[in-house]
Amino acid sequence: MPFPWWLLKTKKTTFGLALVVTLLVAVFRKINRPPSHLRHLPYISFYTFFKAIIKDITIDRFSKDIVLPVMKRSPGAFVCSTVGYWGIMLTDPIAIKQFLMKPDMFPKAEINQGQPGTLIHRFVGGANIVMLNGTDWKRHRKVAHSYTFKVRHMKLTLRHSSVPQIVNPAFNRAMPIRLFGELTQQLFQAMDCTSSVDVLDVVTRMTLDTIGRAGFGFDFNSLADPANEWVTVYNDVKAALMDPFFLVCPVFDTTLVNWFPKRAQKHQQMTRFLAMLDTIIEAKRHHLETVEEEENRDLLTLMIESEQEGQATLTNEELRKNLCIFFFAGQDTTAFTLSFMIYELAVNQALQDRARQEAIEILGDASSDVLPSAEQTKQMTYINAVIKETMRLHNPVLNTTAREGQVYIPKGALVCADMSDLHRNPLVWHDPYRFDPERFLPGGEAERQPAGSGWTWAPFSNGGRICVGMNFSLAEQRVVLSMLLRKYTWTLPKDSIHRDGLVTNGLAFGIISTSNLKVDFKPRY
């Protein structure tokens, strides 16, 4: 009887399949769990995180169903996979305060910038106020002279000598309240074309015009002409930055980018956009050499003037990179917050009425637009509470950029302050998923937090690296919301996909957005 060679082949095939399956299981287990030095903390598996992204669940649902059970097992911190790395996510306000107060012990990690040569790195990487560390960062922005903190019962004091600063003075001096009001009037013109308004679309166009004019004196004219050349170039570049395929596989965005002609075209658009900024910077320098002082100065002008006053020097490339960061960190985040705020007041009519009453008390009820003054924006107690509560419940940025731990955690571990889940932490906030501006009124829950409870509200981060544009953004929001309240009443359409709660996305990249947010506006005059 001949030997059954077919049986041997079958066994080989079976063995081969078994080996492949074994290898795949091993690889899956490796990527599904955090590195061994982080497994002492509860974690959200890569599979769980990835499945949530594929199913496109909302931020609130992810927080309630996935993060909250992990937080109950570990109230202060947990480990989670994001796009590109495993990180320790802090949700305890005391731990977050300690973390954010020590930028030298937790320097920004290079992974935040993407790999050199990628589209994301060309836009936000390199020498700018967000990504730099150490003395280079201090040259852009001054830090405190000294501070004291505890690390495992050891009292330490770190001292910093006073250093020149450029970006801080520019933001402190650039508060174009009137420009905010004028652009809000242009927003009204764009809204009046239809009663049902795509809120995120029009507000994003307005914030682009704001960044352009207040940042470097350039008018994108996005509200009046949303399809013009530079708006199209910028929007194409912005959309391409967050393409998940190229973020996960950066080799195809650099060495092998020519394999993807459409991606190569985005790089060409990025080159055009950056060249436009370079031209503006050079023209601004030349202009300031011949003009003593301008009445309405943008951020770029103020940064260059800070150089002339002896407050250190930034190269043209550094100025351009800071302008790019202002775009990346300031345009969409403010637009999203305003959109979420409009939504919450649409579904909470009593709160909208109360906010409107305050706007009328401060600005009057004449049948014409009123542009608030800087002093009037400071009187908007309830409107400010609405803004703060919106940023607590719907903060557009989920967590801080990753920092690399140097002390009392495994060295090299990446750490973030999880602002979204800090703001939803039931150990910190009562009924945290309910929208309630009362929390931020005098004597409200925010003020009643126990002494030593840490930082419980941190939508702009905090500490030495707090967002330099915080006051700029808050002032813009006060102006826009108060003028909207005087001009319109608004409601959510009955067929809105957001009737049962705001539908958000952006879990993969840490910036919350939404879509199809249409609101019905009715003019009051």
Side-chain angles (χ1 to χ4, degrees), residues 10-213:
T10 302
K11 288 182 177 179
K12 285 182 178 180
T13 302
T14 302
F15 177 77
L17 288 173
L19 181 60
V20 170
V21 169
T22 301
L23 290 173
L24 289 174
V25 169
V27 170
F28 176 77
R29 290 190 63 186
K30 182 175 179 61
I31 66 173
N32 193 47
R33 296 191 300 167
S36 57
H37 64 284
L38 296 180
R39 290 180 196 158
H40 61 290
L41 290 171
Y43 65 89
I44 296 171
S45 70
F46 175 79
Y47 172 74
T48 301
F49 181 76
F50 186 73
K51 183 172 70 172
I53 293 172
I54 295 299
K55 294 178 69 174
D56 201 22
I57 72 171
T58 67
I59 302 301
D60 275 357
R61 183 57 54 196
F62 183 80
S63 178
K64 284 180 181 178
D65 294 350
I66 297 174
V67 176
L68 188 57
V70 179
M71 287 172 59
K72 287 180 178 178
R73 303 203 318 265
S74 178
F78 64 94
V79 175
C80 184
S81 171
T82 61
V83 176
Y85 66 90
W86 286 90
I88 298 174
M89 315 301 289
L90 302 178
T91 58
D92 175 74
I94 297 176
I96 286 174
K97 182 177 181 180
Q98 293 287 304
F99 166 66
L100 295 178
M101 282 183 65
K102 302 188 284 289
D104 289 339
M105 288 190 173
F106 292 94
K108 292 293 184 78
E110 290 188 5
I111 198 169
N112 296 310
Q113 308 179 38
Q115 289 192 16
T118 59
L119 209 60
I120 187 72
H121 189 276
R122 293 182 65 193
F123 197 66
V124 303
N128 62 62
I129 193 170
V130 170
M131 299 301 178
L132 287 171
N133 290 304
T135 56
D136 284 332
W137 169 67
K138 295 170 189 176
R139 182 164 52 90
H140 287 239
R141 173 177 178 167
K142 183 179 176 181
V143 296
H145 289 266
S146 66
Y147 50 80
T148 302
F149 60 95
K150 292 182 178 179
V151 178
R152 289 199 171 184
H153 311 296
M154 294 170 51
K155 187 175 182 181
L156 304 177
T157 300
L158 302 184
R159 299 189 179 277
H160 299 277
S161 58
S162 180
V163 295
Q165 54 178 320
I166 289 180
V167 179
N168 267 13
F171 264 102
N172 290 336
R173 293 158 65 186
M175 198 57 65
I177 300 296
R178 184 168 184 83
L179 174 62
F180 297 154
E182 292 170 351
L183 288 171
T184 303
Q185 288 181 308
Q186 293 182 30
L187 173 70
F188 295 164
Q189 294 173 15
M191 292 170 57
D192 287 344
C193 297
T194 175
S195 60
S196 186
V197 177
D198 187 337
V199 169
L200 184 57
D201 172 61
V202 293
V203 174
T204 300
R205 286 154 54 191
M206 188 200 74
T207 55
L208 176 58
D209 288 348
T210 302
I211 288 291
R213 290 178 60 179

Side-chain angles (χ1 to χ4, degrees), residues 19 22 50 54 56 70 125 150 176 234 251 277 327 349 405 425 489 525:
L19 181 60
T22 301
F50 186 73
I54 295 299
D56 201 22
V70 179
K150 292 182 178 179
Y234 174 71
V251 66
L277 294 181
F327 273 103
Q349 288 291 307
N425 191 335
T489 59
Y525 58 83

Side-chain angles (χ1 to χ4, degrees), residues 291-397:
V291 176
E292 289 189 5
E293 186 171 305
E294 293 183 338
E295 182 179 353
N296 298 314
R297 290 169 292 176
D298 52 60
L299 284 167
L300 176 59
T301 298
L302 290 167
M303 286 191 289
I304 294 174
E305 286 182 352
S306 294
E307 294 181 8
Q308 296 172 347
E309 294 168 4
Q311 300 187 47
T313 301
L314 295 183
T315 65
N316 282 7
E317 182 181 4
E318 289 174 323
L319 288 170
R320 187 236 299 157
K321 287 183 177 294
N322 276 308
L323 289 179
C324 287
I325 280 292
F326 300 158
F327 273 103
F328 193 75
Q331 189 229 340
D332 280 345
T333 52
T334 300
F336 295 155
T337 303
L338 284 167
S339 300
F340 301 154
M341 196 183 313
I342 290 169
Y343 163 80
E344 287 292 354
L345 294 183
V347 298
N348 294 283
Q349 288 291 307
L351 305 185
Q352 185 184 144
D353 292 341
R354 182 171 177 181
R356 179 174 296 105
Q357 186 58 40
E358 180 178 76
I360 290 172
E361 289 173 358
I362 296 170
L363 303 175
D365 199 17
S367 297
S368 59
D369 296 341
V370 175
L371 276 60
S373 66
E375 190 58 37
Q376 286 172 324
T377 63
K378 297 175 184 177
Q379 302 170 26
M380 298 176 181
T381 305
Y382 189 75
I383 287 173
N384 196 54
V386 170
I387 293 170
K388 286 191 169 184
E389 177 66 350
T390 302
M391 300 196 78
R392 182 196 68 81
L393 188 56
H394 305 298
N395 188 44
V397 180

Side-chain angles (χ1 to χ4, degrees), residues 439-452:
R439 302 179 201 271
F440 292 96
L441 291 179
E445 184 180 7
E447 281 191 3
R448 298 197 309 270
Q449 296 286 353

Side-chain angles (χ1 to χ4, degrees), residues 214-231:
F216 52 99
F218 182 83
D219 191 356
F220 281 93
N221 200 28
S222 181
L223 279 168
D225 184 11
N228 73 61
E229 176 188 10
W230 284 112
V231 173

